[in-house]
């Protein structure tokens, strides 16, 4: 060891960290050059060069999922924005983690109502004879009217639509004056529910700045729409 380190020793034992740090300081240049080849990512080289050349506004990290634009093709409809005749979504998407608060339209009048909101959920409990998860739905216009629906049934696109669908959003079969009323079926060529007919969805990749901004904006629009919708319902009651 060199003098600087040794002089500290008699006074009090130097913490091992100090000694190690000094040694590493000497080793650092050789160490770094030995490691460098592994750290180089060829795809980033041109960007790095541009950045060091003074173009500071070029982002060093570009989202690989969307190329930085913040949107990707909707996988549900392949970017077409519409459902094929008969509905290419085999099933409604039910995300059990976030299902409470989601809105649903019953294709058959259910306890007198068609528009529901999920207010609770119950997981599957196979040991106790409950093979599948279920959700608790409350009628939007009468919160006292609730119904438990098997998730398998909720996923069935011939029985339920995700969101609050209006009369013109769906096709109808049968007689509205019958006890169950007319039965709704998804319209062929209806807008894709996953992307709202846009054919593109916000990029969800972690760390995608533009994607996160689009997700945030989209959420704002949805919340505003639902507030308006609830007001309309109240006014027409
Ligand atoms: Zn992205
Ligand atoms: Zn789509």
């Amino acid at each position: 060891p060199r003098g600087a380190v040794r002089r500290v020793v008699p006074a009090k034992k130097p913490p091992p960290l100090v000694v190690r740090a000094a040694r590493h300081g000497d080793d650092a240049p050789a160490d770094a050059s030995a490691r460098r080849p592994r750290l180089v990512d060829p795809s980033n080289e041109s960007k790095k060069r541009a950045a060091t050349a003074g173009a500071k506004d070029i982002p060093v990290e570009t989202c690989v999922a969307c190329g930085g634009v913040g949107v990707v093709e909707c996988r549900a409809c392949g970017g077409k924005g519409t459902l094929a005749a008969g509905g290419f979504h085999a099933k409604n998407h039910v995300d059990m983690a976030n299902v409470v608060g989601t809105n649903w339209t019953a294709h058959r009048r259910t306890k007198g109502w068609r528009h529901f909101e999920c207010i609770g959920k119950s997981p599957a409990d196979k040991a106790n004879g409950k093979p599948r998860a279920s959700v608790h739905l409350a009628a939007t216009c009468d919160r006292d009217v609730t119904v438990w629906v098997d998730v398998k049934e909720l996923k069935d696109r011939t029985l339920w639509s995700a969101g609050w669908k209006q009369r013109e959003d769906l096709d109808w079969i049968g007689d509205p004056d019958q006890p169950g009323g007319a039965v709704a079926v998804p319209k062929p060529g209806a807008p894709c529910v996953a992307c709202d007919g846009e054919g593109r969805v916000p990029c969800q990749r972690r760390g995608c700045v533009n994607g996160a901004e689009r997700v945030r904006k989209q959420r704002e629009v949805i919340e505003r729409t639902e507030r308006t919708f609830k007001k309309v319902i109240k006014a027409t009651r």
Side-chain angles (χ1 to χ4, degrees):
R2 271 150 290 135
V5 176
R6 196 180 286 162
R7 233 178 290 137
V8 183
V9 177
K12 61 175 179 181
K13 230 179 178 183
L17 185 67
V18 173
V19 178
R20 261 210 305 273
R23 282 198 194 136
H24 266 269
D26 290 340
D27 291 348
D31 215 16
S33 62
R35 237 190 336 242
R36 190 170 297 145
R38 268 189 290 141
L39 289 174
V40 171
D41 177 355
S43 65
N44 277 335
E45 274 301 86
S46 59
K47 277 175 239 152
K48 249 185 252 164
R49 246 178 267 129
T52 49
K56 287 234 166 71
D57 53 336
I58 293 177
V60 177
E61 275 186 48
T62 304
C63 175
V64 292
C66 66
V69 292
V71 289
V72 290
E73 184 181 271
C74 174
R75 275 193 302 181
C77 63
K80 288 193 288 288
T82 53
L83 304 179
F88 76 97
H89 279 292
K91 288 169 179 175
N92 288 317
H93 175 65
V94 179
D95 172 11
M96 279 306 277
N98 299 301
V99 73
V100 173
T102 55
N103 302 321
W104 297 90
T105 300
H107 290 183
R108 286 170 196 277
R109 207 172 274 282
T110 302
K111 293 195 176 177
W113 298 102
R114 291 197 186 273
H115 286 153
F116 288 84
E117 182 179 335
C118 180
I119 57 167
K121 59 184 173 180
S122 160
D125 185 2
K126 286 184 181 138
N128 288 300
K130 187 173 184 295
R132 278 185 298 270
S134 51
V135 293
H136 199 193
L137 304 181
T140 312
C141 296
D142 186 350
R143 308 288 290 190
D144 293 336
V145 174
T146 67
V147 59
W148 280 96
V149 176
D150 195 301
V151 167
K152 192 189 178 196
E153 188 186 312
L154 194 66
K155 285 180 176 174
D156 189 334
R157 286 194 70 228
T158 65
L159 301 176
W160 293 89
S161 279
W164 287 331
K165 295 287 182 272
Q166 298 305 293
R167 188 161 287 273
E168 62 274 16
D169 294 333
L170 299 161
D171 279 340
W172 297 86
I173 298 167
D175 183 353
D177 296 327
Q178 288 299 303
V183 176
V185 290
K187 269 187 184 174
C192 170
V193 291
C195 63
D196 220 8
E198 294 286 320
R200 296 178 308 162
V201 291
C203 177
Q204 304 259 17
R205 195 183 179 85
R206 236 164 73 166
C208 179
V209 177
N210 278 332
E213 175 66 9
R214 279 170 193 271
V215 170
R216 193 185 60 76
K217 278 195 184 144
Q218 196 182 52
R219 209 169 284 150
E220 267 176 20
V221 170
I222 290 168
E223 280 166 10
R224 208 180 310 136
T225 309
E226 291 190 348
R227 271 201 301 276
T228 310
F229 192 74
K230 277 179 181 163
K231 263 185 218 155
V232 171
I233 285 175
K234 258 186 201 156
T236 53
R237 237 183 260 179

